[in-house]
């Protein structure tokens, strides 16, 4: 490693003040600090020892937590591909992985490249270090897209999200909205044709098998509202296309959906990782699920239609609720910052998600809008928690 | 039965190089120094001696023009050899070349029974002249107490939970009578109570148990359970407009000595500890000693950092630097000015971490494992990202993230209402240690305190 260190030390003066490539200092620094932890030490005062954690390690931990969801997503895109084109019986595990990789990896690469370039450009213009936050955002943006999304749209969304949701606010740590959810929302409203409807099966150059429908569980459930006298949602789902949407199948995640968000089990493995490492708030995750379940129960009581009567736990495994709560709602910057606030924030995300899903006919999925909506309200929740703290302190004041 | 307060939040940093319980005489230092920079509240320090002057131990050599009554005295007798100044003529050190035999400035002597009858004014006058007054620290702000104030209460913490902390039983062995006398004097300054915080896990030392008329509270839990600020918060929190004083047990003993012996006695036991010290133990010396003779021949490596005080709040000094006024500990740790290949990603059990992120496996170690930590920052400064972690190491009803942001935004009302009156640097030191974003949290706190003091 000494040779590598020497090489960096030789190049460093070029990028430092007065050097030829001074403008690119932060790009150089990003590479250098990626390879080597810097030699900087504590000052004359202040703590002389420091915890071994830094933001890079924290962010990469979240990325690792997403790996099960991503890997399952790659497999599932292949699996559902063969299912849709009617060739499932002949497809091997490797065939599925291959097709999944062809569909998914370009999206991941484009997301990281486009967003990363924006980060670099901003770091040069604004002279700030390149933020590690994008390690997570880049992966999240890719994972919540449908596998059929055109790559130019992935790039556009990543650029839009990094510029509008993050850099205009000052970069990582300053953003109000969750960056990945902003990317998804941008495409959802700008290119609705590519983000909803019949986009969840990657077909490649093939066609649907005869009689195969591209419907999703959420779509089927929403239809139950319109048809009078229809059977229960659970029965409809279970009976659809040879049991494709049974509760168990939806839990495993062998169903169409955004790349990495279909498997409740893979997402929960990620949840365990981020909770055990403490990088994600268990309070938000728990209260999020409680919110979903509680609202589901309340709608059960109303029971005005079949969708309302659907057992609340179905919400956990349909669509991207689990993924959204575990990986989007827990983004520490855009979530509530106070511990008490996190309970309220997570709970309301769960509640609003179910309200949007069941009561609003226009949007079959609710988690995206619920997270963005609560991102905006998180500072207000924190405000009241902080006010309560101040009030306690003022009560004992004598002046 | 004393009240027992069990603290859950905090983090004890178990560093290698803890001292053995032996006390040796350190070879006497040639020079001793009084450092105005040790006194955080001092705005306009003024030296009252010149280079070449001969002074006795306990003779005033320095004062603050904003608080002229308080005299800062020479720790030993000898010749003032250098008045060291830094940039913009900032006064850094007043160095004294020590006599072989210390000659003391003499003050009035009292017996214990005299002390009970002594009035505040008389006691105050002797303390102001006799060099012990700066041991009294005012909260809020953590500055030298103003003699015109009457504090709500006075707090003394009798134990230290910071890394490599010395044991007060050893520091003050056999000085219980001075401690009791010091407490007797302190009683004159408050209509409230004298609170003593003791370690619930250890037996109360006879040094402290003899003191009469004090309120004892037991504390247990991880660091910062020994911090006086934490004790105040749980026993009698400070609100706007209130003042409490705090004092280190060594300071109480010094007050006792001033009245019982009639001299400003700065003899102190200091602890030399840390992973780089070959035989960590205690040494007898005087306040403000040059550490060169104490550390000579006892340091195993070359590239080390000497710290007057503990590794969380102390001051980095040279190997020929001087012991701080309030310090009883010299910590020596490896200097971490090295690059580490993929240091942010490598799995390890050797690096201590409060967190459990990727590869930080120190939580698998036994809680008794001792760590060798160097002074490397272990990362670069970033914006606040991780939330809810500072609270885990601050056992107070304070929202540290909001307090820090209020200071950075220079929002005076928020600083006040979010609790800046209750903390000083040492209370937030662990927040700085565990900080993912590597902020200078103690620096921010002092900046906030200075802003509030200006208003």
């Amino acid at each position: 490693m000494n040779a590598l260190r020497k090489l960096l030390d030789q190049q460093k003066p070029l990028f430092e003040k007065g050097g030829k490539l001074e403008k690119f200092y932060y790009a150089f620094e990003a590479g250098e600090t990626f390879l080597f932890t810097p030699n900087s030490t504590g000052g004359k005062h202040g703590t002389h020892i420091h915890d071994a954690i830094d933001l890079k390690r924290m962010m990469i931990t979240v990325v690792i937590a997403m790996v099960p969801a991503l890997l399952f997503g790659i497999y599932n895109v292949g699996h559902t591909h063969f299912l849709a084109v009617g060739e499932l019986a002949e497809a091997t595990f490797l065939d599925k992985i291959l097709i999944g990789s062809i569909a998914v990896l370009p999206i991941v690469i484009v997301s990281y490249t486009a967003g990363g370039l924006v980060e670099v450009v901003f770091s040069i213009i604004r002279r700030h270090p390149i933020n590690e936050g994008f390690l997570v955002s880049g992966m999240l943006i890719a994972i919540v897209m449908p596998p059929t999304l055109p790559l130019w749209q992935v790039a556009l969304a990543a650029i839009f999200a990094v510029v509008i949701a993050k850099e205009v606010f000052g970069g990582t740590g300053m953003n109000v909205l969750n960056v990945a959810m902003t990317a998804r929302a941008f495409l959802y409203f700008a290119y609705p044709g590519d983000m909803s409807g019949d986009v969840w099966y990657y077909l490649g150059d093939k066609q649907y098998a005869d009689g195969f429908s591209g419907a999703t569980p959420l779509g089927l459930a929403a239809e139950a509202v319109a048809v009078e006298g229809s059977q229960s949602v659970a029965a409809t789902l279970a009976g659809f296309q040879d049991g494709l949407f049974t509760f168990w199948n939806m839990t495993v995640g062998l169903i169409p959906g955004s790349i990495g968000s279909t498997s409740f089990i893979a997402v929960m493995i990620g949840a365990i990782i981020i909770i055990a490492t403490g990088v994600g708030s268990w309070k938000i995750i728990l209260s999020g699920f409680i919110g979903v379940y509680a609202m589901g129960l309340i709608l059960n009581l109303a029971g005005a239609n079949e969708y309302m009567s659907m057992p609340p736990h179905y919400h956990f495994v349909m669509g991207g609720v689990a993924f959204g709560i575990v990986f989007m709602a827990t983004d520490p910057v855009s979530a509530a910052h106070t511990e008490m606030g996190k309970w309220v924030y997570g709970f309301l995300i769960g509640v609003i998600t179910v309200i949007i899903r069941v009561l609003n006919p226009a949007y079959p999925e609710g988690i995206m809008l619920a997270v963005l909506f609560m991102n905006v309200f998180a500072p207000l929740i924190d405000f009241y928690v902080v006010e309560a703290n101040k009030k306690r302190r003022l009560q004992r004041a004598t002046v | 039965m004393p009240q027992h307060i069990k603290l859950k939040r905090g983090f004890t940093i178990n560093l290698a190089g803890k001292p053995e319980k032996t006390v040796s005489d350190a070879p006497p230092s040639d020079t001793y120094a009084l450092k105005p920079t040790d006194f955080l509240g001092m705005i306009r320090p003024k030296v009252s001696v010149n280079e070449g002057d001969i002074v006795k131990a306990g003779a005033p050599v320095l004062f603050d023009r904003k608080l002229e009554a308080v005299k800062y005295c020479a720790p030993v007798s000898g010749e003032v050899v250098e008045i060291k100044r830094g940039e913009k003529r900032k006064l850094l050190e007043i160095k004294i070349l020590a006599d072989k035999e210390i000659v003391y400035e003499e003050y009035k002597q009292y017996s214990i029974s005299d002390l009970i009858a002594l009035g505040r004014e008389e006691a105050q006058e002797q303390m102001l002249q006799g060099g012990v007054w700066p041991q009294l620290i005012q909260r809020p702000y953590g500055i030298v107490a103003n003699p015109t104030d009457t504090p709500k209460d006075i707090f003394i913490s009798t134990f230290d939970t910071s890394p490599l902390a010395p044991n007060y039983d050893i520091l003050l062995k056999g000085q219980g009578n001075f401690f009791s006398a010091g407490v007797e004097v302190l009683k004159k300054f408050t209509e409230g109570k004298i609170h003593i915080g003791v370690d619930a896990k250890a037996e109360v030392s006879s040094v402290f148990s003899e003191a009469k008329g004090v309120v004892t509270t037991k504390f247990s839990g991880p660091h910062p359970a020994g911090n006086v600020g934490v004790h105040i918060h749980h026993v009698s929190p400070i609100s706007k407009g209130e003042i409490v004083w705090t004092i280190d047990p060594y300071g109480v003993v010094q007050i006792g000595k001033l009245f019982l012996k009639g001299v400003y006695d700065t003899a102190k036991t200091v602890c030399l500890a840390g992973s780089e010290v070959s035989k960590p133990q205690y040494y007898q010396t005087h306040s403000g000693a040059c550490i060169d003779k104490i550390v000579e021949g006892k340091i195993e490596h070359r590239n080390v950092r000497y710290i007057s005080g503990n590794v969380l709040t102390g001051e980095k000094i040279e190997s020929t630097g001087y012991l701080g006024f309030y310090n009883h500990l010299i910590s020596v740790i490896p200097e971490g000015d090295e690059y580490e290949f993929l240091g942010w990603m490598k799995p390890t059990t050797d690096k201590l971490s409060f967190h459990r992120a990727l590869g930080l496996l120190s939580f698998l170690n036994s809680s008794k494992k001792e760590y060798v930590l160097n002074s490397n920052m272990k990362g670069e400064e970033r914006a606040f990202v991780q939330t809810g972690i500072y609270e885990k190491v601050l056992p107070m009803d304070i929202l540290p993230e909001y307090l820090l942001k209020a200071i950075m935004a220079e929002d005076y009302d928020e600083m006040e209402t979010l609790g800046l009156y209750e903390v000083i640097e040492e209370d937030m030191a662990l927040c700085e240690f565990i900080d993912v974003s590597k902020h200078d949290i103690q620096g921010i706190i002092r900046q906030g305190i200075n802003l509030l003091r200006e208003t």
Side-chain angles (χ1 to χ4, degrees), chain A residues 1 4-5 9 12 29 32-61 64 129-132 135 172-174 276-280 332-333 336-339 342 379 382-383 385-387 389-390 392-394 396-399, chain B residues 13 237-242 305 307 310-312 314-316 333 335-346 351-360 373-380 382-388 397-399 401-402 405 414 416-419 422 429 432-434 436 438 442:
Chain A
M1 290 315 115
L4 189 59
R5 184 66 247 165
D9 285 338
K12 206 170 182 174
E29 192 227 17
E32 189 197 9
T33 56
F34 182 85
L35 289 169
F36 290 91
T37 299
N39 62 348
S40 50
T41 55
K44 196 172 178 189
H45 296 276
T47 59
H48 300 274
I49 53 174
H50 285 84
D51 193 294
I53 200 168
D54 66 350
L55 209 55
K56 283 189 177 65
R57 212 185 264 264
M58 189 186 133
M59 292 296 183
I60 203 82
T61 308
I64 285 168
I130 293 174
N131 290 310
E132 288 84 0
L135 283 175
T172 299
M174 321 281 185
T277 53
V279 297
V333 176
H337 289 200
T338 56
E339 295 306 288
K342 283 172 184 171
D382 284 336
F383 173 81
V385 177
V386 174
E387 283 302 306
N389 178 283
K390 288 192 218 165
R392 276 199 295 280
R393 191 161 288 105
L394 281 173
R396 48 169 213 253
T398 50
V399 183
Chain B
I13 299 172
I238 310 167
S239 302
K240 187 179 181 182
E242 289 175 340
R305 171 176 290 220
I307 299 156
N310 68 54
V311 291
L312 292 178
E315 180 191 8
K316 177 188 169 185
I333 59 168
E335 190 69 274
D337 53 350
E338 296 152 2
Y339 291 97
E340 189 187 359
F341 183 64
L342 293 182
W344 65 279
M345 196 153 55
K346 264 195 303 201
K351 289 181 185 168
L352 179 63
S353 181
F354 178 73
H355 309 266
R356 287 185 176 186
L358 165 77
L360 295 177
L373 297 189
N374 63 25
S375 66
N376 192 281
M377 295 291 291
K378 316 268 189 324
E380 306 104 74
R382 293 289 185 263
F384 288 103
V385 170
Q386 181 69 310
T387 62
D397 183 20
I398 278 178
L399 300 167
E401 187 189 321
Y402 285 87
K405 285 182 178 175
E414 289 280 292
E416 274 182 13
T417 47
L418 286 169
E422 298 196 51
E432 187 174 318
F433 172 77
I434 65 157
V436 174
K438 311 289 173 189
Q442 295 185 70

Side-chain angles (χ1 to χ4, degrees), chain A residues 159 201 222 327 375:
Chain A
I159 293 167
Y201 288 95
F327 290 109
N375 282 167

Side-chain angles (χ1 to χ4, degrees), chain B residues 62 68 77 98 108 153 250 290 296 308 384 393 439:
Chain B
L62 173 79
E68 287 197 18
S77 61
K108 194 174 171 190
D153 294 301
Y250 170 77
C290 179
E296 196 177 3
S308 173
F384 288 103
V393 291
H439 288 280

Side-chain angles (χ1 to χ4, degrees), chain A residues 50-93:
Chain A
H50 285 84
D51 193 294
I53 200 168
D54 66 350
L55 209 55
K56 283 189 177 65
R57 212 185 264 264
M58 189 186 133
M59 292 296 183
I60 203 82
T61 308
V62 186
V63 175
I64 285 168
M66 278 189 280
V67 166
L70 176 72
L71 293 181
F72 184 86
I74 289 173
Y75 172 81
N76 185 48
V77 169
H79 177 86
T80 49
H81 165 80
F82 288 111
L83 180 73
V85 299
E87 295 171 10
L88 194 59
E90 301 99 69
T92 64
F93 178 78

Side-chain angles (χ1 to χ4, degrees), chain B residues 124-392:
Chain B
Q124 182 168 308
E125 191 52 34
Q126 175 131 328
M127 286 168 70
L128 288 169
Q129 291 299 322
V132 297
W133 189 270
Q135 294 286 354
L136 285 168
I137 299 294
Q138 175 205 303
R139 295 277 189 125
Y141 308 145
I143 57 177
V144 171
N146 188 331
T148 57
D149 291 332
T150 298
K152 184 173 81 157
D153 294 301
I154 296 176
F155 281 83
I156 305 163
S157 169
T158 65
F159 68 114
D160 190 348
T161 45
S162 54
L164 301 172
N167 184 328
Y168 276 107
D169 280 2
I170 298 170
L171 293 187
L172 304 177
K173 201 173 178 190
Q175 308 196 34
N177 59 327
F178 295 124
F179 185 82
S180 301
V183 167
E184 210 53 60
V185 175
L186 289 176
K187 283 183 195 164
K188 320 208 172 298
F189 293 90
T190 176
E191 284 162 12
K193 294 172 179 140
I194 310 270
H195 291 276
I196 291 192
V198 299
D199 185 357
K201 282 180 289 180
E203 215 170 292
V204 180
S205 158
S206 59
V207 176
F208 309 118
S209 59
E210 288 166 17
K212 291 190 181 72
V214 296
V215 180
T216 304
T217 311
K218 289 182 173 182
F219 289 88
S220 59
H223 181 63
N227 278 16
V228 71
V230 174
H231 298 183
I232 299 171
H233 181 85
H234 288 276
V235 174
S236 172
I238 310 167
S239 302
K240 187 179 181 182
E242 289 175 340
I243 285 175
V244 303
W245 288 353
T246 70
I247 182 166
D248 183 72
Y250 170 77
V252 183
V253 166
Q254 262 199 333
I255 294 172
K257 284 179 176 174
L258 179 70
F259 284 87
L260 294 186
K261 289 166 65 179
V263 295
Y264 175 51
D265 184 354
T266 61
K268 71 161 47 165
T269 306
V270 296
C271 172
L272 176 64
S275 59
E276 305 311 291
V277 182
S278 54
K279 202 176 149 225
Q281 62 159 78
Y282 294 83
Y283 294 95
Q284 282 285 1
T285 183
H286 282 79
S287 197
C290 179
I291 66 161
D292 56 353
K293 295 272 178 67
I294 303 173
V295 301
E296 196 177 3
K298 301 180 187 93
I299 306 304
E300 288 175 343
H301 301 102
R302 279 199 171 170
N303 193 19
V304 298
R305 171 176 290 220
Y306 297 93
I307 299 156
S308 173
N310 68 54
V311 291
L312 292 178
T313 59
E315 180 191 8
K316 177 188 169 185
I317 56 172
E318 300 297 315
S319 61
T320 52
Y322 294 88
L323 192 63
F325 186 83
Y326 298 103
N327 299 140
H328 319 289
L329 169 66
I330 303 163
S331 312
V332 190
I333 59 168
E335 190 69 274
D337 53 350
E338 296 152 2
Y339 291 97
E340 189 187 359
F341 183 64
L342 293 182
W344 65 279
M345 196 153 55
K346 264 195 303 201
T348 172
T349 53
D350 289 338
K351 289 181 185 168
L352 179 63
S353 181
F354 178 73
H355 309 266
R356 287 185 176 186
L358 165 77
L360 295 177
L361 305 172
S362 58
F363 69 92
L364 295 173
N365 295 329
S366 128
S367 61
K368 286 183 182 147
K369 171 166 166 119
E370 295 183 334
Y371 294 85
V372 175
L373 297 189
N374 63 25
S375 66
N376 192 281
M377 295 291 291
K378 316 268 189 324
E380 306 104 74
E381 187 174 328
R382 293 289 185 263
F384 288 103
V385 170
Q386 181 69 310
T387 62
I389 52 163
Y390 303 133
E391 288 90 332
K392 290 183 182 166

